[in-house]
Amino acid sequence: MPNCYVPWTNIDISPQGEISPCCKFKNSVYPNKVLNINSSTIDEYIQNPTLKEVKRDFTEGRWPKGCERCKIEEENGIQSKRIQDADQWRDYLENYEDKGFITASVAFGNTCNLTCITCDPTASSKWQQEWKVLLGRDVKPNHFYKEGFVENFKTNTPNLVHLDIPGGEPLLSGVQQQKELLNLYIKDGTAKNISLHYTTNCTRFPDQEWLDLWKHFKQVELQLSIDGIKDRFEYIRFPAKWDEVSTNIEKYMKLRDEGLLKVSVSTTVSAYNIAYLDELVDWCENIGLGMPYLGRVHNPVHLRPTVWKNDAKEYIINRLRESRYNLAPFISLLETQDDSQHFETFRYRLVRHDGFRKLNFKKTFPEMVDFLLDKR
């Protein structure tokens, strides 16, 4: 029977301000019951019927309908966020006695400078124009929330031990409010008990003010979003430049070697890069970054790694089996999950985005071209 501490111990605020138990939770399956920090308080979220329903489901041994992502991953041998959090915070959870939120994830708006192909305008302000031109929908950037958020957040997390700051790009998004919050923890002396985790696209390097703030905290980890190398990286994380990002990675690793930061890699596994995981993992290992965290795309469904048709899946599975790294969970995923009914959407969108961006899938992913064109 599933059990998860997250609804009691963690709060997640998305780039659009939606409040939920964690970043994997599907708010979309709870229509008209989702609260937003722009119009609601954290206290109101705690009393929200949706959160109470989720807690009740776990207490009674059921998977909440909003927790489908972890359920699917665990069924395929992929380490879910539920399991990761239970392992990472075990020492705090074993003696947990309703101490409120001890971990949190706050995206301070969606300001970003990239249009990563697996992203959208809800998480990246840079996407607005392309989304409007190609899909006819205008999603306005969400810079930051209402006045007083920082103080309200700190009041509701008196026992915080970990703060995750994703994006947008966290070194661009809500910077003033971020620094204001960090200074509050430094001022009251609790910073030394709190670890920070940033998910960065590596196009920015922190200035001295960031470094001076971070030195007060228990640990600071920068998780680098890398979904491919060289031209494949530039395609997926458009319009980032590999040479510039590589230079920043070297700087991050220097800070790591000096004991100032922890550095890791997070990879979004999608239809674009599933066949190239071995290449990426090999690069990470060779430069000293270790095995990346591999998290699959859940939405939109047409970008899932399982959207390819059977002949492509067979080819990809054989490539993954030849790897010297443990990619078995993704082999299992390809063997058991089928989203190929969305393949035409994947192909149609791919062609339109290539045209808008002046990119070329055929040149960048040559091994997959015939499968894309149904020539095999």
Side-chain angles (χ1 to χ4, degrees), residues 77 116 185 211 279 373:
C116 304
Y185 289 120
L211 299 179
E279 172 185 83
L373 301 176

Side-chain angles (χ1 to χ4, degrees), residues 131-197:
W131 200 259
K132 185 176 181 180
V133 171
L134 298 186
L135 297 178
R137 300 201 296 272
D138 189 12
V139 180
K140 303 296 184 183
N142 183 40
H143 295 295
F144 197 62
Y145 318 121
K146 60 190 177 185
E147 184 179 352
F149 165 80
V150 170
E151 293 81 3
N152 181 248
F153 176 82
K154 189 175 183 303
T155 298
N156 280 278
T157 55
N159 299 299
L160 191 72
V161 298
H162 180 76
L163 177 61
D164 185 16
I165 304 177
E169 164 53 40
L171 297 182
L172 289 172
S173 192
V175 170
Q176 178 183 342
Q177 290 79 10
Q178 285 189 56
K179 292 180 177 180
E180 181 183 345
L181 179 61
L182 298 188
N183 273 310
L184 286 179
Y185 289 120
I186 293 169
K187 185 176 180 180
D188 72 4
T190 58
K192 63 181 182 297
N193 303 319
I194 300 172
S195 59
L196 303 176
H197 179 281

Side-chain angles (χ1 to χ4, degrees), residues 170-325:
L171 297 182
L172 289 172
S173 192
V175 170
Q176 178 183 342
Q177 290 79 10
Q178 285 189 56
K179 292 180 177 180
E180 181 183 345
L181 179 61
L182 298 188
N183 273 310
L184 286 179
Y185 289 120
I186 293 169
K187 185 176 180 180
D188 72 4
T190 58
K192 63 181 182 297
N193 303 319
I194 300 172
S195 59
L196 303 176
H197 179 281
Y198 292 80
T199 304
T200 175
N201 62 31
C202 305
T203 62
R204 310 284 294 186
F205 191 77
D207 59 24
Q208 190 60 46
E209 185 178 1
W210 280 114
L211 299 179
D212 288 341
L213 288 171
W214 291 346
K215 68 183 181 182
H216 294 277
F217 287 82
K218 182 178 181 179
Q219 176 181 279
V220 179
E221 178 178 5
L222 266 63
Q223 193 161 57
L224 317 180
S225 295
I226 308 290
D227 298 336
I229 63 172
K230 300 178 180 178
D231 58 341
R232 284 189 264 277
F233 171 86
E234 293 184 351
Y235 182 103
I236 294 173
R237 295 202 164 261
F238 181 81
K241 299 302 179 186
W242 178 249
D243 287 345
E244 295 175 4
V245 165
S246 295
T247 298
N248 284 337
I249 292 173
E250 290 177 4
K251 293 179 182 178
Y252 289 137
M253 294 178 69
K254 185 175 185 295
L255 292 177
R256 178 200 65 181
D257 294 343
E258 293 172 355
L260 300 177
L261 295 175
K262 182 179 178 182
V263 180
S264 61
V265 173
S266 176
T267 297
T268 301
V269 183
S270 70
Y272 284 94
N273 65 354
I274 180 69
Y276 301 90
L277 290 187
D278 181 77
E279 172 185 83
L280 173 62
V281 175
D282 203 47
W283 173 82
C284 289
E285 293 281 359
N286 286 340
I287 71 166
L289 284 170
M291 184 74 179
Y293 166 71
L294 302 173
R296 75 178 183 99
V297 168
H298 294 271
N299 287 301
V301 293
H302 71 271
L303 292 182
R304 291 176 181 173
T306 47
V307 78
W308 289 101
K309 295 183 178 181
N310 287 335
D311 54 350
K313 284 183 178 177
E314 182 178 348
Y315 171 77
I316 296 168
I317 288 170
N318 287 334
R319 283 182 65 123
L320 297 183
R321 281 182 175 146
E322 293 172 357
S323 174
R324 61 193 179 102
Y325 306 104

